[in-house]
Amino acid sequence: MNLTLFGTGYVGLVTGVCLAELGNDVLCIDTDADKIATLQRGEVPIYEPGLQELIVGNVRAGRLAFSTDMARGVAHGDVQFIAVGTPSADDGSADLSHVFEVAGAIATHMTSFKVIVNKSTVPVGAGEVVHKAVATVLAQRWPGARPAPGFAVVSNPEFLKEGSAINDFMRPDRIIVGLGDAPEEQRAGDLMRALYRPFGHGHDRVICMDRRSAEFTKYAANAMLATRISFMNEMANLADRLGVDIEPVRVGIGADPRIGDSFLYPGVGYGGSCFPKDVTALQRMGNDVGLPLQLLAAVAHVNDGQKRLLVDKLVQRLGSDLSSRRLALWGLAFKPNTDDMREAPSRVLVRELLERGAVLQVFDPVAMQEARRCLEDDLRDRPRLLERICYAQGPMEAARDADALLIVTEWQVFRSPNFDALRAALRHPLIVDGRNLYEPRSMRALGFDYLTVGRNALEALGSTTP
C-alpha cells in the first residue's frame, strides 16, 4: 500500500518506518529541511533503540523515502497520516495549528480518494473539524457540477512507549480505529483493516469505534496511567512517614489481577510528551463543558510535587543552603532508552539545586546534547547558573568528589555499579535514589547513607550526615 506520513517527529517517524518494514511504500514529509536532510543521510534526529537500523534497511530496499514536498506527499499515498505535534497552548488546550496546516495541504493537492488519518493526539471532535476544513477547500476547488474527490477522516491514536516504540508498534495489544457512518468512512475502515491485518498474529487487534470515542480513548488511557503513577507516589510518600517499605506493598497489590503491576513503581514523577500534556488537555475539556476533573487535578498536583522530592530529601540531610555543595546527577532524560527531555523531572531538579547554590556534575548515557539544549532554554532568564553545570563523560566521573549522588533516571548502566569505587569517588557516601534501584539494607551494609522513595523503613537504624 502507498502511504504518506506528515511529520517526522517521534510518532510519525516510528509509524512510517514500521509500516515500511511490513512492505508498504512509505513517503515521510516534513517542512523542516534540515531534519529531512538528516534522515536522507541515514541519520536519526531522535534516539529510539533499533530505529536507525530500520531506516537504513528500508531506504536501501526502496520502501522508505523522505521529502519536504507536500504535493508529492499528497499524490503518493492512498492513506495520508497526520502525525504532527499538538503542544499545549497557553490555556492548556491542544494546539491544532499544525494538524490544520497538513489537512489544508492535503485538500489543496488531492485529486483522488484519500483516507486522512489523525495519528496526532487531538481533542474530542477534532476529526469533525478536520473533515469540515477539507470539505471546504474541496468545494472551493470544485465549485461546479464536477464532483470533488471523496475522502474520509479516521482517528487512529498511537500508544507507543518511548524506548520500546518499535516493539509496541510491531506487536500492538490494540489498534484503535475511529470512523464515521458515511460510505466513504466504511471504505476507509476496510483500507485500515487491510493495512493493519499483518499485526494480528492470528488475532484481530483492530478495535473499531466512532471517531469521537477513539479520540477520547487516547486521553483516557494516558490519564489512567498517570493516575497510577501519582497514586503510587503518594503511597510511597506515606510509607516513608509510617515506617513502611513500599516495595513489598507494590508487589502485594500488583499481584491482584484487577490491578496488575504496570506503572506502580514509585519515583520522581512522570514526564515526557504525553502524560503531562494529555492530563492538562483533559482538564481543559472538562472545564469547557462545566465538569472540572478533580481527580486529574490531584494527579497533576501530586506529580508537580514529586519532581521536587529529591531536593526535599537532600535538604533534610545537607540543609537548605547548598552553596558549598557539589552534587552528582545520574540520568537526565525523563525515562531510560530515550533522549527526550520534555517535562523531565531532572529539569525541575537542576534548577532548584542551582538556585540553592549547588555545583552539579551530571551524566546521561544518551540525552546529554538534548539536556544541554533544554537546560540552556530553561535558564535563559538566569544564564549565570549554567556555569555551575559540569557535563561528565561517565557516571563515575560525575560522582567524583560529590557530596551526594542523586539518581533521577533508571538507566541500566546505573543498576550495577562498582559500589566500592562509587563510595571511594564520592566525598560523602550519600545517595538519594529517585528510582529505588538498590536494596536499602545492602546499601547501608556497604556504608552508604541511602535515601529512597518509600523504602526508608530502615531509617530508624541510623544514618551518616556528611
Side-chain angles (χ1 to χ4, degrees), residues 245-256:
D245 184 352
I246 198 64
E247 177 59 15
V249 176
R250 181 192 67 78
V251 174
I253 65 175
D256 187 330

Side-chain angles (χ1 to χ4, degrees), residues 46 49 72 77 93 107 144 146 149 183 192 210 213 225-226 250 254 265 281 343 347 353 381 391 405 408 453:
I46 60 174
R72 177 187 170 193
S93 62
R146 179 186 169 195
M192 296 299 290
D210 67 276
S213 295
L225 297 176
R250 181 192 67 78
Y265 291 85
E343 301 290 337
R347 297 173 72 165
L353 293 174
D381 59 329
Y391 294 89
L405 165 63
V408 188
V453 183

Side-chain angles (χ1 to χ4, degrees), residues 83-256:
V84 294
T86 54
S88 294
D90 292 340
D91 62 0
S93 62
D95 180 355
L96 301 182
S97 57
H98 299 305
V99 172
F100 292 130
E101 287 172 10
V102 174
I106 294 171
T108 298
H109 296 294
M110 62 185 283
T111 57
S112 60
F113 180 81
K114 300 292 182 184
V115 178
I116 302 171
V117 180
N118 248 334
K119 202 71 179 171
S120 302
T121 301
V122 295
V124 173
E128 297 163 16
V129 181
V130 168
H131 191 284
K132 211 172 282 186
V134 173
T136 299
V137 174
L138 291 178
Q140 294 169 349
R141 291 180 62 201
W142 276 271
R146 179 186 169 195
F151 72 98
V153 176
V154 176
S155 175
N156 179 215
E158 55 85 18
F159 299 96
L160 306 177
K161 299 186 296 293
E162 293 190 44
S164 60
I166 292 172
N167 183 70
D168 290 345
F169 195 98
M170 302 300 276
R171 295 173 177 80
D173 45 19
R174 81 283 203 198
I175 300 169
I176 303 296
V177 175
L179 302 163
D181 297 325
E184 293 87 353
E185 306 286 343
Q186 299 310 306
R187 179 180 174 185
D190 292 340
L191 275 173
M192 296 299 290
R193 290 186 190 91
L195 175 64
Y196 284 127
R197 190 168 292 118
F199 295 96
H201 303 294
H203 302 279
D204 187 5
R205 304 292 181 184
V206 176
I207 302 173
C208 289
M209 59 184 70
D210 67 276
R211 196 164 50 210
R212 293 173 74 91
S213 295
E215 292 164 344
F216 192 68
T217 298
K218 165 68 174 179
Y219 284 100
N222 280 348
M224 170 60 78
L225 297 176
T227 299
R228 288 171 68 95
I229 293 171
S230 282
F231 169 81
M232 203 61 193
N233 282 334
E234 279 219 307
M235 293 299 99
N237 295 341
L238 180 59
D240 272 342
R241 300 287 183 93
L242 297 177
V244 170
D245 184 352
I246 198 64
E247 177 59 15
V249 176
R250 181 192 67 78
V251 174
I253 65 175
D256 187 330

Side-chain angles (χ1 to χ4, degrees), residues 242-301:
L242 297 177
V244 170
D245 184 352
I246 198 64
E247 177 59 15
V249 176
R250 181 192 67 78
V251 174
I253 65 175
D256 187 330
R258 297 169 300 174
I259 298 173
D261 61 1
S262 296
F263 289 82
L264 286 185
Y265 291 85
V268 291
Y270 59 77
S273 63
C274 292
F275 289 2
K277 177 170 67 71
D278 292 355
V279 167
T280 300
L282 261 181
Q283 289 178 269
R284 175 57 194 262
M285 289 183 225
N287 291 337
D288 287 346
V289 297
L291 183 66
L293 302 180
Q294 300 176 53
L295 178 59
L296 290 191
V299 167
H301 178 73

